[in-house]
Amino acid sequence: MASVSALFVNTARRSMVQSLRSSSRSVMSSSPAFGSMRLMSTYYTPAHEYCKVEGKVATIGITDFAQDALGDIVFVDLPEIGDEFEASESFGSVESVKAASDVYAPISGKVLEVNEALTDEPALVNSSAESDAWFIKMEMGDGSDGEVGELLGEAAYKEHCEKESS
């Protein structure tokens, strides 16, 4: 009986492994963006914008460091869906009780979506700057791969912030 159980377990394990291998092959071959773009990576600018890249879509906003420096956010000005921006071009602004600041596109592309929640609740930036309080989602332009390569990774951005803080 024990040998039958072991045989069953080994057969089930092999079937599961084969199933996973074949399903991952079909995902990789059926997904046109797989391998051509970073799957889900976050990059940063020295001006404290973040850019979360997933396929050909970048989610953009300001970092926790930026919102902390600005203080209580009272207004966020965002672009229209369909607007196009070049890397380093201002696409909006954020105002706080301390100051107003432009927000710059880390990469080139076209605005696909705007976070309308920030219109009614700009203070959301203070509590969830790098998650729920994203500003825009952009379809990345043709030259964006090179632009992404020029942005800071997490470790480099952390070092940049530490230097600014001292």
Side-chain angles (χ1 to χ4, degrees):
M1 182 73 173
S3 64
V4 173
S5 294
L7 180 62
F8 177 74
V9 168
N10 285 334
T11 303
R13 186 179 304 137
R14 272 195 302 269
S15 295
M16 186 174 75
V17 169
Q18 288 172 343
S19 174
L20 288 171
R21 283 185 184 150
S22 65
S23 69
S24 66
R25 273 189 224 116
S26 66
V27 168
M28 287 190 290
S29 62
S30 67
S31 175
F34 193 87
S36 66
M37 291 296 298
R38 293 152 188 88
L39 286 181
M40 181 63 164
S41 301
T42 303
Y43 302 92
Y44 304 88
T45 69
H48 307 289
E49 290 91 10
Y50 67 83
C51 179
K52 292 182 182 180
V53 176
E54 187 170 9
K56 292 289 278 177
V57 177
T59 302
I60 299 166
I62 65 169
T63 64
D64 281 325
F65 186 92
Q67 69 80 22
D68 189 49
L70 285 166
D72 294 334
I73 306 296
V74 295
F75 180 75
V76 178
D77 181 38
L78 299 172
E80 299 291 322
I81 293 173
D83 287 352
E84 295 187 26
F85 296 95
E86 295 295 318
S88 302
E89 186 177 357
S90 174
F91 70 80
S93 64
V94 61
E95 295 179 18
S96 72
V97 294
K98 291 183 186 178
S101 179
D102 283 337
V103 183
Y104 299 93
I107 48 107
S108 301
K110 181 171 135 179
V111 178
L112 297 174
E113 194 174 339
V114 174
N115 191 349
E116 297 293 342
L118 298 180
T119 304
D120 298 328
E121 195 178 347
L124 187 59
V125 175
N126 293 113
S127 60
S128 341
E130 294 185 45
S131 57
D132 297 333
W134 55 271
F135 285 22
I136 61 172
K137 293 188 180 190
M138 289 180 83
E139 178 181 28
M140 296 171 61
D142 291 337
S144 294
D145 280 343
E147 294 166 351
V148 168
E150 295 175 16
L151 299 174
L152 303 173
E154 187 175 344
Y157 179 68
K158 183 178 178 185
E159 185 179 319
H160 172 73
C161 292
E162 287 170 357
K163 286 179 184 174
E164 272 196 18
S165 296
S166 56

